[in-house]
Amino acid sequence: MPLSFPASGDETPAAVAARLTGRAVTGVRPLSGSLAEAALDDGRTVVVKRAEEAEAARAEAAGLRWLAEAGTPPVPRVHGREGAWLVLDRVTEGRPDRDAALRFGRELAGLHAAGAPAFGAPPPGGPVEAFIGLAPMRNVTGDDWPAWYAEHRVLPYLRRAVDAGAMDAGEAAVVERVCARLPELAGPAEPPARLHGDLWSGNVLWGADGRVHVIDPAAHGGHRETDLAMLALFGCPLLDAVLEGYQEVAPLAEGWRERVGVHQLFPLLVHAVLFGRGYAGQALAAARSALAL
């Protein structure tokens, strides 16, 4: 549940923005219970965000900086973090178009190619106990993607979903069969990619500058098909063009379309934990499609 900004005292979005940018704040516009825009005296506008807890803000700041090191796609600049507070550049939004989608695909391929030390590797300065949205996510490393993905991305959320009553034991057994077969279902081995990690359409901003900017990462080392599967899961605009641009730079291994369900298991189980039975049904369908490969 989002936290509300304090109504009084020093810890207001204006005060935080002033401290972390070194500029006077001329106005504040609340966007939600935990997000606001602050206008600065030099004409810029920044976003002030308060996370659920300090480690979530630390993870997000580290993730944005790690993605920025790759050069593309663009991410908001981090002006600073203070406890659970973050101050970021604002992205001025435009409209989706094909040229931007193609460029985004090419840039996403470049981000993935920047690599990571291992599967599950956190960004430099980021916590092991990180987050994906409001759910905890442990960045424990491994060298074998199928084993790592099963142990640290699928099974922890499957257990939580069962404990919460979102899935029953019989349904969980279907997902467990996918995990057991991951070595044969995963496709050719790939090196660890530098992932955004939570690349659903809400974290993809079509900028007024004609480029696609990405926000709110759950960055870690992973399989590049996982980012692409999440783009497909929640309906990214112009996804065919994004994939076309991606394939121009870094062609995907044969059979990648059939493996989408394998990679969607993780975010679907996270959503089942957070939001209940509806997403559990989707996770079960993804597991069954994977077993049909």
Side-chain angles (χ1 to χ4, degrees), residues 145-239:
W145 184 79
W148 171 84
Y149 184 65
E151 183 177 355
H152 298 295
R153 289 297 181 262
V154 176
L155 292 176
Y157 300 97
L158 178 64
R159 297 183 189 109
R160 286 173 177 262
V162 171
D163 290 344
M167 297 186 81
D168 63 35
E171 292 166 335
V174 177
V175 178
E176 288 168 346
R177 286 201 296 275
V178 175
C179 290
R181 289 186 55 195
L182 273 174
E184 66 183 273
L185 299 176
E190 298 235 359
R194 188 170 305 194
L195 296 192
H196 176 282
D198 193 9
L199 201 58
W200 71 289
S201 57
N203 289 339
V204 173
L205 301 185
W206 300 80
D209 59 359
R211 299 181 71 185
V212 174
H213 301 241
V214 295
I215 62 171
D216 294 349
H220 62 279
H223 196 300
R224 61 190 180 131
E225 291 178 17
T226 303
D227 264 356
L228 299 177
M230 194 174 292
L231 279 177
L233 182 58
F234 296 112
C236 177
L238 300 172
L239 180 57

Side-chain angles (χ1 to χ4, degrees), residues 121-137:
V128 170
E129 302 294 339
F131 297 83
I132 178 167
L134 298 177
M137 183 183 78

Side-chain angles (χ1 to χ4, degrees), residues 16-43:
V16 172
R19 282 199 299 274
L20 295 183
T21 64
R23 306 296 310 193
V25 173
T26 60
V28 172
R29 182 169 74 96
L31 301 177
S32 71
S34 58
L35 202 66
E37 289 182 349
L40 305 180
D41 64 352
D42 61 1

